[in-house]
């Protein structure tokens, strides 16, 4: 726990447990939401070829996970941790402009 606290800049074990819980909830939820979302856009789970369905579902899970991570983190009172985590992830993916845009919107709010 000590290494995680240092790496993540967290002060308490309680906060570590909350963060790990948020990761777990988000991972499970993103898996569960991808299937109905594909059905909603007209791609049922009987889609052929089935390997393409799996690839599309995997591609869809990633953005769902990223959005849910910040949302669930907010619900658990860890928005700043997960928002900075998300910004790092977007920078690594060369999508930092998205984080900068959202940051500019968040700073405009009263």
């Amino acid at each position: 726990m000590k290494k995680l606290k240092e790496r993540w800049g967290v002060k308490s074990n309680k906060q570590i447990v909350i963060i790990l819980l948020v990761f777990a909830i988000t991972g499970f939820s993103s898996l569960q939401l991808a299937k109905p979302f594909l059905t909603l856009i007209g791609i049922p789970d009987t889609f052929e070829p089935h390997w393409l369905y799996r690839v599309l579902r995997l591609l869809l899970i990633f953005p769902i996970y990223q959005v849910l991570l910040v949302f669930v983190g907010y619900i658990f009172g860890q928005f700043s941790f997960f928002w900075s985590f998300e910004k790092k992830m977007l920078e690594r993916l060369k999508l930092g402009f998205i984080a900068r845009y959202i940051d500019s919107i968040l700073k405009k709010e009263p």
Side-chain angles (χ1 to χ4, degrees):
M1 291 288 227
K2 185 179 179 181
K3 286 185 180 182
L4 278 178
K5 285 196 285 190
E6 290 173 8
R7 181 176 181 185
W8 288 344
V10 175
K11 295 179 178 129
S12 70
N13 288 343
K14 180 183 174 186
Q15 194 175 5
I16 294 261
V17 170
I18 291 171
I19 289 169
L20 293 174
L21 182 64
V22 168
F23 278 123
I25 290 170
T26 303
F28 180 76
S29 299
S30 63
L31 291 173
Q32 298 304 312
L33 288 173
K35 185 177 180 179
F37 190 79
L38 281 173
T39 303
L40 180 70
I41 61 173
I43 303 174
D45 58 352
T46 57
F47 184 79
E48 290 295 330
H50 198 66
W51 66 267
L52 182 58
Y53 173 81
R54 295 286 179 202
V55 169
L56 291 172
R57 188 168 177 197
L58 284 173
L59 291 173
L60 185 60
I61 286 170
F62 183 72
I64 290 174
Y65 180 82
Q66 301 306 317
V67 171
L68 280 178
L69 190 61
V70 175
F71 179 71
V72 175
Y74 173 77
I75 291 172
F76 279 85
Q78 299 297 317
F79 177 79
S80 61
F81 173 83
F82 285 104
W83 180 236
S84 67
F85 185 87
E86 187 62 34
K87 287 192 286 189
K88 289 178 199 171
M89 176 71 73
L90 289 170
E91 287 293 338
R92 287 184 201 129
L93 295 172
K94 307 295 184 214
L95 298 172
F97 64 93
I98 296 171
R100 289 187 292 277
Y101 175 73
I102 294 173
D103 263 345
S104 71
I105 291 173
L106 291 174
K107 288 178 183 175
K108 288 181 185 176
E109 291 184 12

